[in-house]
Amino acid sequence: MFIPKANRIAVFSYLFKEGVMVVKKDPMQANHEEIEGATNLEIMNLVKSLASKEYIRVTFNWQYYYCYLTESGIEYLRTYLALPAEVLPATHRKRETVRPEGRDRESDRPERPAFRGSGDREYRSRGGGFGRGGGDA
């Protein structure tokens, strides 16, 4: 299928910027929700082409294609869009973890057991039950 270069660049730049893309399996839909100018049919065909070359990994669920960019896909789109090596998709960037105020870090918390009690599992009886490991039989 012939896809205009402007639409192809729009789809590729969105995929590279985000690192992931969701496409509804509806060839009659006039345009994609997030990409301007490209029809849904054009995006579906680009997804099929990129998946056959293993530039993206596609998961299909409930009439939606979930596309994830692979390492070889990052290199391909970087050369196609003429981007520098420092630019990364949003899914590959490291984010600083921001903790809400008032929350202590795990190292600052006092050690406590995972369950209530003194740690000796007091809720179990010492005499045992019946069957294996039962009491005095």
Side-chain angles (χ1 to χ4, degrees):
M1 173 178 195
F2 177 74
I3 300 171
K5 189 169 186 175
N7 294 354
R8 182 184 303 263
I9 289 174
V11 172
F12 285 174
S13 61
Y14 177 82
L15 181 59
F16 188 84
K17 181 179 79 170
E18 296 295 327
V20 294
M21 182 170 55
V22 179
V23 182
K24 184 176 183 181
K25 185 184 174 184
D26 184 9
M28 303 306 286
Q29 187 175 352
N31 53 7
H32 193 265
E33 292 88 16
E34 291 141 1
I35 302 172
E36 295 285 329
T39 64
N40 212 37
L41 181 61
E42 291 172 345
I43 296 174
M44 286 171 48
N45 284 329
L46 283 173
V47 164
K48 188 179 357 175
S49 174
L50 291 172
S52 70
K53 298 173 188 173
E54 295 184 358
Y55 293 144
I56 60 173
R57 183 175 53 90
V58 178
T59 304
F60 183 74
N61 190 13
W62 287 72
Q63 300 298 313
Y64 282 89
Y65 295 102
Y66 298 95
C67 309
Y68 309 96
L69 200 55
T70 62
E71 294 296 324
S72 59
I74 291 172
E75 293 302 318
Y76 171 74
L77 291 181
R78 192 174 279 145
T79 57
Y80 189 87
L81 299 171
L83 296 171
E86 297 84 33
V87 179
L88 291 173
T91 54
H92 289 264
R93 288 188 206 125
K94 298 281 184 185
R95 289 189 286 165
E96 292 183 22
T97 57
V98 178
R99 295 182 182 265
E101 297 205 17
R103 296 278 313 245
D104 295 333
R105 294 193 175 149
E106 293 177 12
S107 61
D108 297 340
R109 292 183 188 169
E111 189 63 33
R112 62 178 185 178
F115 52 89
R116 294 182 184 155
S118 64
D120 197 17
R121 296 191 184 221
E122 297 168 353
Y123 58 90
R124 289 187 180 176
S125 64
R126 293 280 180 186
F130 54 92
R132 282 193 203 188
D136 301 331

